[in-house]
Amino acid sequence: MQLHSRLPHVGTTIFSTMSALAQTHGAVNLGQGFPDFDCDPQLVEAVHEAMRRGHNQYPPMPGVPALRQAVAAKLQAMHGRNYDADREITITAGATQAIFTALLAIVHPGDEVIVLEPCYDSYGPNIELAGGRVVRVPLKAESYRPDFERIAAAITPRTRALIINTPHNPSATVWSAAEMQTLADLLAPTDVLLISDEVYEHMVFDGAAHQSVARFPSLAERSFIVSSFGKTYHVTGWKVGYVAAPAALSVEFRKVHQFNVFTVNTPAQHGLAAHMADPAPYLGLSDFYQRKRDLFRAGLERTAFRLLPSEGSYFQCVDFSAYRERSGQQGDAAFCEWLTREIGVAAIPLSAFYAQGCEAPVIRFCFAKRDETLKQALDKLQSL
């Protein structure tokens, strides 16, 4: 039987491809974005304790009340916006599910949704599966900052939503307060909804602050804020995240959530709620990752890669132009394959974050790794 594919142009993701290639060649995997170190043992113990206390059956559909309350308290403390834990916070099976659910809740066939390229690879397929049309607006070349003239030009009467991401994957840029205010002014006369992907919210460097849409009332009123406990607590495999949205938006979000997930791992939710009683782990995350960024950048400065800024997230992008002749590769995907196979370090080509690829000679490394892993990779890269 031959099926008519809903996503005929989609194949295996570049992340799976490069991780498999790294394993085949025994390369240091700085491609896929996940830590190679353990989470806090106290968090694991909190989940075990929840299991021992019998928290092993379905929790409430929107999430364990204690965890929703902890999220609401954090948003109030960090960004000054009061979200009602009962009506405006929903616990999700990771951030990717949260974004997909938000799109399913608001997009009708033929609606347009704007994404800013380069962007996380799930956005486009999610929009298409919801029946919408993807409208791709490029970020500014080189700086990867928002181009508000192009965003404004892309808004039409059919525009239903805009997806933004800060700190940004893959470029590691962080939106400023001025840029967020410009967005607020741009959207003010429209009914465009906003999905704000803030999964790297606690990884902002050099003393800067994360500018959540929660800080901007006119944006918060039209926004689904998406975040990830997996990114914050080094447990990406747990697939637990959350959405904060005004009550009217949350009602529609939960209508879909209850039928595509229903609810999320119970003991993990209880464990996370207990762990959030101490804000130190997430408040200290920027310093933790800035040290890793600085170690990695210092090592890369001994190579011919040109380093792009890394303002937030746990990614570092570099321009590989200086190695094109030696590698014999012009394209970023081919260069990443060569780097994995011949040098023993896996990275991700930036073209993977564009629907039609890109010509920029830029690749992305992930530095959410043990210092020993980073040093091993740097030894190999410095041999180039």
Side-chain angles (χ1 to χ4, degrees):
M1 178 183 297
Q2 186 172 0
L3 293 177
H4 181 59
S5 176
R6 293 287 308 277
L7 296 170
H9 55 288
V10 172
T12 304
T13 71
I14 189 65
F15 309 102
S16 297
T17 299
M18 294 309 302
S19 288
L21 192 65
Q23 186 171 15
T24 298
H25 294 282
V28 181
N29 189 356
L30 302 187
Q32 196 165 359
F34 60 85
D36 69 345
F37 46 83
D38 291 332
C39 67
D40 187 337
Q42 293 183 356
L43 176 55
V44 175
E45 177 54 32
V47 175
H48 287 178
E49 177 60 20
M51 292 178 179
R52 289 190 290 266
R53 290 171 55 197
H55 294 301
N56 299 303
Q57 308 307 326
Y58 293 131
M61 180 271 289
V64 167
L67 184 55
R68 287 184 277 127
Q69 291 160 10
V71 170
K74 184 191 80 167
L75 290 169
Q76 172 67 45
M78 296 195 70
H79 306 306
R81 184 169 182 87
N82 180 33
Y83 285 91
D84 185 294
D86 291 331
R87 300 188 304 146
E88 298 181 323
I89 305 291
T90 306
I91 306 304
T92 63
T96 300
Q97 180 255 316
I99 293 167
F100 188 28
T101 298
L103 289 164
L104 288 172
I106 63 175
V107 173
H108 297 266
D111 284 350
E112 296 174 350
V113 180
I114 297 171
V115 301
L116 308 180
E117 282 194 323
C119 62
Y120 183 53
D121 65 343
S122 81
Y123 296 169
N126 284 179
I127 294 164
E128 292 175 9
L129 288 169
R133 188 174 79 84
V134 186
V135 177
R136 302 179 184 276
V137 174
L139 295 167
K140 290 181 179 178
E142 291 287 320
S143 71
Y144 300 103
R145 307 216 68 85
D147 187 329
F148 291 106
E149 289 186 5
R150 287 192 170 189
I151 295 171
I155 295 175
T156 75
R158 298 205 64 86
T159 304
R160 182 62 168 162
L162 164 67
I163 303 178
I164 67 171
N165 173 212
T166 180
H168 185 244
N169 175 21
S171 74
T173 55
V174 174
W175 283 41
S176 68
E179 287 168 332
M180 296 299 285
Q181 187 58 57
T182 300
L183 179 64
D185 296 341
L186 175 62
L187 296 183
T190 78
D191 293 323
V192 174
L193 298 174
L194 189 63
I195 297 175
S196 184
D197 181 349
E198 303 184 14
V199 298
Y200 302 103
E201 60 176 322
H202 298 298
M203 305 170 202
V204 180
F205 308 138
D206 303 316
H210 168 55
Q211 299 299 324
S212 173
V213 299
R215 296 185 174 206
F216 301 84
S218 67
L219 290 179
E221 290 167 1
R222 65 175 77 226
S223 294
F224 299 89
I225 297 175
V226 177
S227 193
S228 165
F229 296 108
K231 298 290 193 301
T232 299
Y233 291 114
H234 318 309
V235 288
T236 59
W238 289 14
K239 297 299 294 176
V240 185
Y242 70 80
V243 164
L249 296 182
S250 290
V251 165
E252 297 305 313
F253 181 90
R254 290 177 178 182
K255 286 179 183 179
V256 177
H257 175 78
Q258 69 183 333
F259 292 118
N260 74 353
V261 170
F262 177 56
T263 192
V264 178
N265 185 291
T266 304
Q269 289 195 60
H270 282 279
L272 286 163
H275 201 61
M276 286 187 72
D278 179 8
Y282 60 78
L283 292 179
L285 200 61
S286 289
D287 288 343
F288 174 82
Y289 274 121
Q290 183 169 328
R291 286 192 294 271
K292 290 187 176 295
R293 181 204 66 171
D294 292 349
L295 181 156
F296 191 51
R297 285 177 66 89
L300 287 175
E301 285 172 354
R302 298 174 58 188
T303 73
F305 288 116
R306 181 173 68 84
L307 278 65
L308 278 62
S310 178
E311 300 172 345
S313 80
Y314 46 47
F315 300 116
Q316 174 66 59
C317 289
V318 300
D319 184 312
F320 65 88
S321 297
Y323 295 114
R324 276 179 158 171
E325 184 175 347
R326 175 178 173 184
S327 67
Q329 309 299 334
Q330 296 297 309
D332 59 350
F335 180 81
C336 282
E337 292 177 8
W338 176 86
L339 193 69
T340 304
R341 185 177 60 251
E342 302 297 332
I343 307 303
V345 179
I348 297 292
L350 212 70
S351 60
F353 298 89
Y354 292 83
Q356 302 300 323
C358 70
E359 296 182 359
V362 178
I363 62 176
R364 190 202 76 179
F365 292 113
C366 172
F367 55 79
K369 308 295 177 183
R370 293 173 296 157
D371 289 358
E372 310 89 88
T373 304
L374 294 175
K375 290 173 183 177
Q376 182 184 4
L378 287 168
D379 285 344
K380 293 175 180 293
L381 294 172
Q382 288 165 2
S383 72
L384 274 166

mmCIF file of all heavy atoms in Angstrom, residues 15 30-34 165 167-173 199-200 203 205 231 289 293 296-297 308-317 348 353 364-368:
data_model
loop_
_atom_site.group_PDB
_atom_site.id
_atom_site.type_symbol
_atom_site.label_atom_id
_atom_site.label_comp_id
_atom_site.label_asym_id
_atom_site.label_seq_id
_atom_site.Cartn_x
_atom_site.Cartn_y
_atom_site.Cartn_z
ATOM 1 N N PHE A 15 20.087 16.278 12.597
ATOM 2 C CA PHE A 15 20.618 15.967 13.920
ATOM 3 C C PHE A 15 20.831 14.465 14.078
ATOM 4 O O PHE A 15 21.866 14.014 14.564
ATOM 5 C CB PHE A 15 19.678 16.510 15.001
ATOM 6 C CG PHE A 15 19.337 17.958 14.804
ATOM 7 C CD1 PHE A 15 18.117 18.343 14.274
ATOM 8 C CD2 PHE A 15 20.262 18.947 15.104
ATOM 9 C CE1 PHE A 15 17.811 19.662 14.068
ATOM 10 C CE2 PHE A 15 19.970 20.285 14.897
ATOM 11 C CZ PHE A 15 18.739 20.645 14.373
ATOM 12 N N LEU A 30 29.692 17.256 18.774
ATOM 13 C CA LEU A 30 29.283 18.606 19.157
ATOM 14 C C LEU A 30 28.153 19.081 18.241
ATOM 15 O O LEU A 30 27.929 20.277 18.080
ATOM 16 C CB LEU A 30 30.459 19.580 19.076
ATOM 17 C CG LEU A 30 31.702 19.259 19.914
ATOM 18 C CD1 LEU A 30 32.691 20.422 19.853
ATOM 19 C CD2 LEU A 30 31.344 18.947 21.359
ATOM 20 N N GLY A 31 27.443 18.122 17.663
ATOM 21 C CA GLY A 31 26.362 18.448 16.754
ATOM 22 C C GLY A 31 25.038 18.607 17.474
ATOM 23 O O GLY A 31 24.593 19.720 17.741
ATOM 24 N N GLN A 32 24.409 17.498 17.812
ATOM 25 C CA GLN A 32 23.090 17.547 18.436
ATOM 26 C C GLN A 32 23.159 18.223 19.798
ATOM 27 O O GLN A 32 24.094 18.026 20.573
ATOM 28 C CB GLN A 32 22.521 16.133 18.568
ATOM 29 C CG GLN A 32 21.026 16.101 18.838
ATOM 30 C CD GLN A 32 20.426 14.720 18.606
ATOM 31 O OE1 GLN A 32 21.114 13.780 18.226
ATOM 32 N NE2 GLN A 32 19.128 14.606 18.825
ATOM 33 N N GLY A 33 22.152 19.041 20.097
ATOM 34 C CA GLY A 33 22.186 19.872 21.295
ATOM 35 C C GLY A 33 21.696 19.184 22.540
ATOM 36 O O GLY A 33 20.540 19.378 22.955
ATOM 37 N N PHE A 34 22.554 18.399 23.156
ATOM 38 C CA PHE A 34 22.213 17.805 24.456
ATOM 39 C C PHE A 34 23.485 17.665 25.274
ATOM 40 O O PHE A 34 24.566 17.464 24.724
ATOM 41 C CB PHE A 34 21.525 16.444 24.289
ATOM 42 C CG PHE A 34 22.353 15.410 23.575
ATOM 43 C CD1 PHE A 34 23.276 14.634 24.270
ATOM 44 C CD2 PHE A 34 22.212 15.200 22.213
ATOM 45 C CE1 PHE A 34 24.040 13.674 23.622
ATOM 46 C CE2 PHE A 34 22.979 14.246 21.550
ATOM 47 C CZ PHE A 34 23.898 13.485 22.257
ATOM 48 N N ASN A 165 12.240 33.216 18.522
ATOM 49 C CA ASN A 165 13.071 32.339 19.356
ATOM 50 C C ASN A 165 14.245 33.146 19.899
ATOM 51 O O ASN A 165 15.089 33.596 19.137
ATOM 52 C CB ASN A 165 13.558 31.162 18.514
ATOM 53 C CG ASN A 165 14.557 30.268 19.214
ATOM 54 O OD1 ASN A 165 15.429 29.694 18.574
ATOM 55 N ND2 ASN A 165 14.450 30.124 20.510
ATOM 56 N N PRO A 167 16.812 33.153 23.651
ATOM 57 C CA PRO A 167 18.021 33.067 22.840
ATOM 58 C C PRO A 167 17.833 32.126 21.644
ATOM 59 O O PRO A 167 17.091 31.159 21.734
ATOM 60 C CB PRO A 167 19.074 32.538 23.813
ATOM 61 C CG PRO A 167 18.588 32.971 25.162
ATOM 62 C CD PRO A 167 17.099 32.852 25.077
ATOM 63 N N HIS A 168 18.556 32.424 20.574
ATOM 64 C CA HIS A 168 18.241 31.830 19.285
ATOM 65 C C HIS A 168 19.076 30.602 18.962
ATOM 66 O O HIS A 168 20.290 30.610 19.118
ATOM 67 C CB HIS A 168 18.461 32.885 18.191
ATOM 68 C CG HIS A 168 18.066 32.442 16.830
ATOM 69 N ND1 HIS A 168 18.978 32.298 15.807
ATOM 70 C CD2 HIS A 168 16.864 32.106 16.317
ATOM 71 C CE1 HIS A 168 18.335 31.901 14.719
ATOM 72 N NE2 HIS A 168 17.058 31.774 14.993
ATOM 73 N N ASN A 169 18.383 29.598 18.503
ATOM 74 C CA ASN A 169 18.988 28.407 17.922
ATOM 75 C C ASN A 169 18.725 28.474 16.411
ATOM 76 O O ASN A 169 17.559 28.505 16.002
ATOM 77 C CB ASN A 169 18.347 27.153 18.507
ATOM 78 C CG ASN A 169 18.835 25.868 17.874
ATOM 79 O OD1 ASN A 169 19.889 25.813 17.279
ATOM 80 N ND2 ASN A 169 18.037 24.816 17.996
ATOM 81 N N PRO A 170 19.774 28.559 15.578
ATOM 82 C CA PRO A 170 21.158 28.166 15.852
ATOM 83 C C PRO A 170 22.158 29.293 16.110
ATOM 84 O O PRO A 170 23.291 29.019 16.454
ATOM 85 C CB PRO A 170 21.543 27.470 14.540
ATOM 86 C CG PRO A 170 20.821 28.284 13.501
ATOM 87 C CD PRO A 170 19.501 28.656 14.124
ATOM 88 N N SER A 171 21.786 30.554 15.928
ATOM 89 C CA SER A 171 22.812 31.606 15.830
ATOM 90 C C SER A 171 23.361 32.067 17.171
ATOM 91 O O SER A 171 24.381 32.747 17.214
ATOM 92 C CB SER A 171 22.244 32.818 15.082
ATOM 93 O OG SER A 171 21.336 33.533 15.902
ATOM 94 N N ALA A 172 22.672 31.757 18.286
ATOM 95 C CA ALA A 172 23.084 32.167 19.633
ATOM 96 C C ALA A 172 22.954 33.667 19.853
ATOM 97 O O ALA A 172 23.578 34.219 20.749
ATOM 98 C CB ALA A 172 24.502 31.686 19.959
ATOM 99 N N THR A 173 22.141 34.349 19.044
ATOM 100 C CA THR A 173 21.835 35.753 19.309
ATOM 101 C C THR A 173 20.722 35.844 20.345
ATOM 102 O O THR A 173 19.943 34.909 20.542
ATOM 103 C CB THR A 173 21.389 36.489 18.034
ATOM 104 O OG1 THR A 173 20.277 35.787 17.458
ATOM 105 C CG2 THR A 173 22.509 36.580 17.035
ATOM 106 N N VAL A 199 13.224 28.393 25.131
ATOM 107 C CA VAL A 199 13.761 27.214 25.814
ATOM 108 C C VAL A 199 15.154 27.445 26.404
ATOM 109 O O VAL A 199 15.550 26.763 27.342
ATOM 110 C CB VAL A 199 13.779 25.969 24.891
ATOM 111 C CG1 VAL A 199 12.376 25.600 24.452
ATOM 112 C CG2 VAL A 199 14.689 26.178 23.693
ATOM 113 N N TYR A 200 15.878 28.423 25.857
ATOM 114 C CA TYR A 200 17.216 28.732 26.390
ATOM 115 C C TYR A 200 17.183 29.969 27.290
ATOM 116 O O TYR A 200 18.174 30.682 27.430
ATOM 117 C CB TYR A 200 18.206 28.919 25.230
ATOM 118 C CG TYR A 200 18.302 27.714 24.332
ATOM 119 C CD1 TYR A 200 17.668 27.695 23.090
ATOM 120 C CD2 TYR A 200 19.000 26.579 24.733
ATOM 121 C CE1 TYR A 200 17.728 26.570 22.270
ATOM 122 C CE2 TYR A 200 19.067 25.455 23.916
ATOM 123 C CZ TYR A 200 18.430 25.458 22.693
ATOM 124 O OH TYR A 200 18.481 24.340 21.886
ATOM 125 N N MET A 203 20.049 30.891 29.709
ATOM 126 C CA MET A 203 21.413 30.861 29.174
ATOM 127 C C MET A 203 21.667 32.145 28.393
ATOM 128 O O MET A 203 21.593 32.179 27.167
ATOM 129 C CB MET A 203 21.601 29.644 28.263
ATOM 130 C CG MET A 203 21.262 28.324 28.916
ATOM 131 S SD MET A 203 21.223 26.976 27.712
ATOM 132 C CE MET A 203 20.186 25.790 28.580
ATOM 133 N N PHE A 205 24.376 35.524 28.319
ATOM 134 C CA PHE A 205 25.745 35.749 28.791
ATOM 135 C C PHE A 205 26.116 37.227 28.915
ATOM 136 O O PHE A 205 25.398 38.113 28.459
ATOM 137 C CB PHE A 205 26.724 35.057 27.840
ATOM 138 C CG PHE A 205 26.397 33.605 27.586
ATOM 139 C CD1 PHE A 205 26.484 33.057 26.320
ATOM 140 C CD2 PHE A 205 25.976 32.779 28.633
ATOM 141 C CE1 PHE A 205 26.176 31.722 26.086
ATOM 142 C CE2 PHE A 205 25.656 31.444 28.416
ATOM 143 C CZ PHE A 205 25.767 30.918 27.142
ATOM 144 N N LYS A 231 16.030 21.517 28.935
ATOM 145 C CA LYS A 231 17.184 22.375 28.681
ATOM 146 C C LYS A 231 17.720 22.967 29.986
ATOM 147 O O LYS A 231 18.931 23.039 30.198
ATOM 148 C CB LYS A 231 16.796 23.511 27.724
ATOM 149 C CG LYS A 231 16.348 23.056 26.344
ATOM 150 C CD LYS A 231 17.508 22.497 25.542
ATOM 151 C CE LYS A 231 17.155 22.333 24.075
ATOM 152 N NZ LYS A 231 16.026 21.446 23.818
ATOM 153 N N TYR A 289 27.114 28.015 31.859
ATOM 154 C CA TYR A 289 27.353 27.842 30.432
ATOM 155 C C TYR A 289 28.288 28.908 29.868
ATOM 156 O O TYR A 289 28.973 28.660 28.872
ATOM 157 C CB TYR A 289 26.032 27.816 29.666
ATOM 158 C CG TYR A 289 25.426 26.431 29.631
ATOM 159 C CD1 TYR A 289 24.157 26.183 30.156
ATOM 160 C CD2 TYR A 289 26.120 25.355 29.080
ATOM 161 C CE1 TYR A 289 23.606 24.909 30.132
ATOM 162 C CE2 TYR A 289 25.574 24.086 29.049
ATOM 163 C CZ TYR A 289 24.321 23.862 29.578
ATOM 164 O OH TYR A 289 23.788 22.600 29.554
ATOM 165 N N ARG A 293 31.291 28.272 27.370
ATOM 166 C CA ARG A 293 31.443 29.054 26.137
ATOM 167 C C ARG A 293 32.837 29.656 26.054
ATOM 168 O O ARG A 293 33.502 29.592 25.009
ATOM 169 C CB ARG A 293 30.391 30.164 26.085
ATOM 170 C CG ARG A 293 30.468 31.014 24.817
ATOM 171 C CD ARG A 293 29.876 32.395 24.999
ATOM 172 N NE ARG A 293 30.639 33.226 25.935
ATOM 173 C CZ ARG A 293 30.411 34.519 26.131
ATOM 174 N NH1 ARG A 293 29.435 35.136 25.454
ATOM 175 N NH2 ARG A 293 31.138 35.214 26.995
ATOM 176 N N PHE A 296 35.524 27.114 25.330
ATOM 177 C CA PHE A 296 35.450 26.643 23.949
ATOM 178 C C PHE A 296 35.923 27.722 22.982
ATOM 179 O O PHE A 296 36.714 27.446 22.050
ATOM 180 C CB PHE A 296 34.010 26.227 23.640
ATOM 181 C CG PHE A 296 33.844 25.487 22.343
ATOM 182 C CD1 PHE A 296 34.626 24.384 22.035
ATOM 183 C CD2 PHE A 296 32.885 25.885 21.425
ATOM 184 C CE1 PHE A 296 34.471 23.695 20.837
ATOM 185 C CE2 PHE A 296 32.715 25.210 20.227
ATOM 186 C CZ PHE A 296 33.513 24.119 19.935
ATOM 187 N N ARG A 297 35.488 28.964 23.194
ATOM 188 C CA ARG A 297 35.909 30.046 22.296
ATOM 189 C C ARG A 297 37.417 30.275 22.374
ATOM 190 O O ARG A 297 38.068 30.524 21.346
ATOM 191 C CB ARG A 297 35.154 31.333 22.635
ATOM 192 C CG ARG A 297 33.711 31.337 22.158
ATOM 193 C CD ARG A 297 32.987 32.608 22.578
ATOM 194 N NE ARG A 297 33.521 33.799 21.931
ATOM 195 C CZ ARG A 297 33.097 34.282 20.765
ATOM 196 N NH1 ARG A 297 32.149 33.650 20.086
ATOM 197 N NH2 ARG A 297 33.617 35.386 20.259
ATOM 198 N N LEU A 308 31.601 33.593 15.358
ATOM 199 C CA LEU A 308 30.471 34.506 15.425
ATOM 200 C C LEU A 308 30.129 34.739 16.894
ATOM 201 O O LEU A 308 30.496 33.926 17.752
ATOM 202 C CB LEU A 308 29.270 33.933 14.680
ATOM 203 C CG LEU A 308 29.248 34.125 13.153
ATOM 204 C CD1 LEU A 308 30.420 33.435 12.471
ATOM 205 C CD2 LEU A 308 27.927 33.618 12.576
ATOM 206 N N PRO A 309 29.428 35.818 17.222
ATOM 207 C CA PRO A 309 29.064 36.049 18.627
ATOM 208 C C PRO A 309 28.201 34.912 19.174
ATOM 209 O O PRO A 309 27.408 34.304 18.450
ATOM 210 C CB PRO A 309 28.271 37.358 18.579
ATOM 211 C CG PRO A 309 28.726 38.037 17.326
ATOM 212 C CD PRO A 309 29.002 36.924 16.345
ATOM 213 N N SER A 310 28.373 34.631 20.463
ATOM 214 C CA SER A 310 27.511 33.680 21.169
ATOM 215 C C SER A 310 26.974 34.393 22.403
ATOM 216 O O SER A 310 27.602 34.432 23.450
ATOM 217 C CB SER A 310 28.294 32.422 21.574
ATOM 218 O OG SER A 310 27.472 31.527 22.305
ATOM 219 N N GLU A 311 25.796 34.992 22.245
ATOM 220 C CA GLU A 311 25.205 35.818 23.303
ATOM 221 C C GLU A 311 24.355 35.013 24.272
ATOM 222 O O GLU A 311 24.096 35.459 25.388
ATOM 223 C CB GLU A 311 24.340 36.907 22.674
ATOM 224 C CG GLU A 311 25.097 37.839 21.741
ATOM 225 C CD GLU A 311 24.190 38.797 20.987
ATOM 226 O OE1 GLU A 311 22.958 38.564 20.962
ATOM 227 O OE2 GLU A 311 24.713 39.777 20.418
ATOM 228 N N GLY A 312 23.907 33.830 23.848
ATOM 229 C CA GLY A 312 23.050 32.998 24.680
ATOM 230 C C GLY A 312 22.861 31.633 24.051
ATOM 231 O O GLY A 312 23.373 31.364 22.971
ATOM 232 N N SER A 313 22.126 30.755 24.721
ATOM 233 C CA SER A 313 21.963 29.347 24.343
ATOM 234 C C SER A 313 23.239 28.589 24.672
ATOM 235 O O SER A 313 24.101 29.098 25.383
ATOM 236 C CB SER A 313 21.592 29.174 22.860
ATOM 237 O OG SER A 313 22.720 29.280 22.025
ATOM 238 N N TYR A 314 23.384 27.356 24.159
ATOM 239 C CA TYR A 314 24.662 26.651 24.345
ATOM 240 C C TYR A 314 25.284 26.273 23.003
ATOM 241 O O TYR A 314 25.829 25.202 22.828
ATOM 242 C CB TYR A 314 24.562 25.461 25.287
ATOM 243 C CG TYR A 314 23.421 24.471 25.148
ATOM 244 C CD1 TYR A 314 23.042 23.938 23.927
ATOM 245 C CD2 TYR A 314 22.767 24.005 26.291
ATOM 246 C CE1 TYR A 314 22.050 22.993 23.840
ATOM 247 C CE2 TYR A 314 21.761 23.050 26.222
ATOM 248 C CZ TYR A 314 21.404 22.555 24.999
ATOM 249 O OH TYR A 314 20.405 21.611 24.916
ATOM 250 N N PHE A 315 25.215 27.245 22.072
ATOM 251 C CA PHE A 315 25.730 27.032 20.723
ATOM 252 C C PHE A 315 26.775 28.084 20.352
ATOM 253 O O PHE A 315 26.738 29.222 20.823
ATOM 254 C CB PHE A 315 24.601 27.059 19.702
ATOM 255 C CG PHE A 315 23.547 26.007 19.945
ATOM 256 C CD1 PHE A 315 22.245 26.376 20.251
ATOM 257 C CD2 PHE A 315 23.868 24.658 19.894
ATOM 258 C CE1 PHE A 315 21.273 25.416 20.493
ATOM 259 C CE2 PHE A 315 22.909 23.696 20.142
ATOM 260 C CZ PHE A 315 21.605 24.064 20.440
ATOM 261 N N GLN A 316 27.681 27.654 19.497
ATOM 262 C CA GLN A 316 28.706 28.539 18.943
ATOM 263 C C GLN A 316 28.767 28.303 17.441
ATOM 264 O O GLN A 316 29.023 27.180 16.996
ATOM 265 C CB GLN A 316 30.072 28.253 19.563
ATOM 266 C CG GLN A 316 31.225 29.030 18.938
ATOM 267 C CD GLN A 316 31.103 30.522 19.176
ATOM 268 O OE1 GLN A 316 31.057 30.987 20.321
ATOM 269 N NE2 GLN A 316 31.046 31.301 18.103
ATOM 270 N N CYS A 317 28.509 29.350 16.662
ATOM 271 C CA CYS A 317 28.616 29.244 15.214
ATOM 272 C C CYS A 317 29.972 29.789 14.756
ATOM 273 O O CYS A 317 30.513 30.727 15.355
ATOM 274 C CB CYS A 317 27.490 30.023 14.532
ATOM 275 S SG CYS A 317 25.866 29.243 14.713
ATOM 276 N N ILE A 348 26.889 20.797 13.076
ATOM 277 C CA ILE A 348 25.656 20.869 12.295
ATOM 278 C C ILE A 348 25.780 22.000 11.276
ATOM 279 O O ILE A 348 26.167 23.123 11.624
ATOM 280 C CB ILE A 348 24.434 21.137 13.206
ATOM 281 C CG1 ILE A 348 24.234 19.985 14.190
ATOM 282 C CG2 ILE A 348 23.173 21.346 12.379
ATOM 283 C CD1 ILE A 348 23.817 18.669 13.576
ATOM 284 N N PHE A 353 18.868 24.702 8.902
ATOM 285 C CA PHE A 353 17.866 25.536 9.561
ATOM 286 C C PHE A 353 17.137 26.444 8.577
ATOM 287 O O PHE A 353 16.445 27.362 8.978
ATOM 288 C CB PHE A 353 18.528 26.367 10.667
ATOM 289 C CG PHE A 353 19.154 25.523 11.752
ATOM 290 C CD1 PHE A 353 20.470 25.105 11.646
ATOM 291 C CD2 PHE A 353 18.421 25.141 12.863
ATOM 292 C CE1 PHE A 353 21.056 24.323 12.637
ATOM 293 C CE2 PHE A 353 18.991 24.363 13.860
ATOM 294 C CZ PHE A 353 20.306 23.948 13.748
ATOM 295 N N ARG A 364 27.467 25.002 13.147
ATOM 296 C CA ARG A 364 27.132 25.203 14.558
ATOM 297 C C ARG A 364 27.707 24.094 15.420
ATOM 298 O O ARG A 364 27.516 22.913 15.143
ATOM 299 C CB ARG A 364 25.612 25.225 14.728
ATOM 300 C CG ARG A 364 25.112 25.648 16.097
ATOM 301 C CD ARG A 364 23.696 25.150 16.367
ATOM 302 N NE ARG A 364 23.679 23.725 16.682
ATOM 303 C CZ ARG A 364 22.579 23.020 16.987
ATOM 304 N NH1 ARG A 364 21.398 23.621 16.971
ATOM 305 N NH2 ARG A 364 22.652 21.735 17.266
ATOM 306 N N PHE A 365 28.398 24.494 16.486
ATOM 307 C CA PHE A 365 28.867 23.558 17.513
ATOM 308 C C PHE A 365 27.996 23.710 18.762
ATOM 309 O O PHE A 365 27.513 24.810 19.058
ATOM 310 C CB PHE A 365 30.317 23.851 17.912
ATOM 311 C CG PHE A 365 31.344 23.584 16.848
ATOM 312 C CD1 PHE A 365 32.060 24.630 16.280
ATOM 313 C CD2 PHE A 365 31.610 22.286 16.423
ATOM 314 C CE1 PHE A 365 33.024 24.408 15.312
ATOM 315 C CE2 PHE A 365 32.574 22.042 15.445
ATOM 316 C CZ PHE A 365 33.281 23.105 14.889
ATOM 317 N N CYS A 366 27.855 22.635 19.514
ATOM 318 C CA CYS A 366 27.191 22.668 20.814
ATOM 319 C C CYS A 366 28.247 22.506 21.899
ATOM 320 O O CYS A 366 29.012 21.543 21.881
ATOM 321 C CB CYS A 366 26.157 21.543 20.922
ATOM 322 S SG CYS A 366 25.448 21.360 22.584
ATOM 323 N N PHE A 367 28.280 23.442 22.865
ATOM 324 C CA PHE A 367 29.269 23.340 23.936
ATOM 325 C C PHE A 367 28.656 22.908 25.270
ATOM 326 O O PHE A 367 29.260 23.091 26.328
ATOM 327 C CB PHE A 367 30.073 24.639 24.094
ATOM 328 C CG PHE A 367 29.255 25.892 24.308
ATOM 329 C CD1 PHE A 367 28.717 26.200 25.547
ATOM 330 C CD2 PHE A 367 29.069 26.784 23.263
ATOM 331 C CE1 PHE A 367 27.993 27.363 25.747
ATOM 332 C CE2 PHE A 367 28.347 27.953 23.450
ATOM 333 C CZ PHE A 367 27.808 28.241 24.696
ATOM 334 N N ALA A 368 27.469 22.307 25.229
ATOM 335 C CA ALA A 368 26.860 21.746 26.442
ATOM 336 C C ALA A 368 27.468 20.367 26.712
ATOM 337 O O ALA A 368 26.790 19.334 26.671
ATOM 338 C CB ALA A 368 25.353 21.635 26.282
#
